[in-house]
Amino acid sequence: MKGIVLAGGSGSRLYPLTLATSKQLLAIYNKPMIYYPISVLMLAGLRDILVISTPGSLPALRNVLGDGSQLGLNLSYAAQPEPNGIAEAFIIGADHIGTDPAALILGDNFFHGAGFPRILRASRERLDGCVLFGYPVSDPERYGIGETDAEGRLVSIEEKPLRPKSDNAITGLYFYDNDVVEIARALTPSKRGELEITDVNLAYLKQGRAHLNRLGRGFTWLDTGTHDSLLAASQYVQVIEHRQGVRVACLEEIALRMGYIDADACARLGAGMKNSEYGRYLMEIAQSLGS
């Protein structure tokens, strides 16, 4: 399975913070926002990841992330010059996907919860069509909502329904088989001129091949594209890290635990940031897991 992080858009909801920098390089507590969606793909076992962003943001993202080799990843980059919809990511990334399934995550989505790697890998293994990830919300009329049967198969998808049939908001994480490329190419743009991800999901729904995993109690999902949600995510990470002594979305630690790099490589990465708590944490983790 190939991974895609769609990190485009102007970030206008975060003005004036994003007037001079990419939204995905803003901090969620002590790490750039882009670390968090990449960490999700890594936890799902993906190593070949395409980052799609605006032409103006790509140099800075590349400067922060490099080619991924330091993490045992293969990171590549592509431009989305205009915000033509989420589904355009599959057209831009068609060569990257090749004949493989694809996982897409939005660059401003934050996920955290116990057992998440197990859920992600199980979703990969049972992939037949598409797997979406739902999250219960108290105001479903503000979201795309998925209604499921007892087996988790999607029965309906509605955008911002006046009378929601469930409280399952469809999050910005999507797993698809390889048919998604041709489905995206066949879409008709919306009135806004965008290729809508909901139309992709509806195509799988009509085929009876759309499933939804509900991320319930014990999970956190945030769209960090507003000032309040960005602050909420930062406060959440701060509390978890201070109380538990762990790091959320620490790419180097994930790479070490997944076997993508060894303890010596992790220690070297930490030594390069030894004046920060983050760097010292990496060196401690490397020593602990390498002994």
Side-chain angles (χ1 to χ4, degrees):
M1 177 178 274
K2 301 292 179 61
I4 298 176
V5 179
L6 183 57
S10 64
S12 57
R13 290 185 297 166
L14 285 166
Y15 282 170
L17 289 176
T18 50
L19 288 174
T21 189
S22 167
K23 173 174 67 174
Q24 280 75 26
L25 293 179
L26 295 177
I28 295 181
Y29 187 45
N30 53 7
K31 302 168 213 73
M33 185 189 294
I34 192 74
Y35 274 40
Y36 295 85
I38 289 177
S39 74
V40 171
L41 298 182
M42 291 176 68
L43 291 171
L46 277 61
R47 302 177 71 170
D48 202 342
I49 298 170
L50 174 68
V51 177
I52 299 176
S53 191
T54 63
S57 295
L58 282 176
L61 289 168
R62 193 190 301 268
N63 188 51
V64 170
L65 299 169
D67 63 3
S69 58
Q70 75 280 11
L71 300 171
L73 305 178
N74 177 27
L75 296 181
S76 53
Y77 301 85
Q80 185 184 40
E82 301 293 336
N84 292 327
I86 295 171
E88 190 184 37
F90 300 109
I91 299 173
I92 295 171
D95 290 341
H96 166 73
I97 296 168
T99 59
D100 294 318
L104 171 67
I105 186 168
L106 303 186
D108 59 5
N109 270 223
F110 174 93
F111 295 86
H112 186 258
F116 199 27
R118 173 182 51 80
I119 292 171
L120 292 170
R121 290 171 204 166
S123 298
R124 282 186 63 186
E125 291 171 2
R126 76 170 196 176
L127 182 62
D128 175 21
C130 79
V131 174
L132 310 178
F133 296 83
Y135 189 81
V137 294
S138 60
D139 49 354
E141 65 279 355
R142 294 181 54 236
Y143 298 90
I145 297 297
E147 177 191 11
T148 62
D149 61 19
E151 284 74 42
R153 186 176 292 106
L154 274 166
V155 176
S156 70
I157 301 173
E158 296 180 289
E159 281 294 322
K160 300 180 179 179
L162 293 176
R163 296 179 178 82
K165 297 177 182 177
S166 83
D167 62 353
N168 285 319
I170 297 174
T171 69
L173 175 62
Y174 319 86
F175 287 5
Y176 298 102
D177 66 15
N178 192 255
D179 292 345
V180 70
V181 175
E182 291 309 314
I183 289 173
R185 284 174 171 158
L187 292 181
T188 300
S190 67
K191 293 180 180 178
R192 297 183 300 175
E194 298 182 2
L195 300 180
E196 303 286 354
I197 196 67
T198 298
D199 290 339
V200 172
N201 297 333
L202 287 172
Y204 280 100
L205 177 64
K206 291 176 182 177
Q207 298 173 10
R209 299 195 302 132
H211 302 264
L212 185 138
N213 271 346
R214 181 179 169 97
L215 304 175
R217 187 182 293 251
F219 279 86
T220 297
W221 167 64
L222 293 168
D223 170 355
T224 61
T226 68
H227 296 100
D228 285 346
S229 59
L230 185 65
L231 177 61
S234 293
Q235 292 173 330
Y236 176 89
V237 173
Q238 181 189 39
V239 169
I240 293 292
E241 295 195 352
H242 283 204
R243 289 288 181 89
Q244 299 184 358
V246 299
R247 294 292 181 270
V248 178
C250 177
L251 302 186
E252 296 86 353
E253 180 183 1
I254 295 171
L256 175 59
R257 292 185 182 275
M258 297 289 288
Y260 299 166
I261 61 175
D262 59 23
D264 288 342
C266 184
R268 286 193 297 271
L269 291 171
M273 297 179 276
K274 63 183 179 181
N275 289 333
S276 70
E277 290 185 6
Y278 189 88
R280 291 190 291 272
Y281 175 80
L282 291 182
M283 290 188 286
E284 291 170 4
I285 285 292
Q287 183 177 18
S288 172
L289 298 181
S291 58

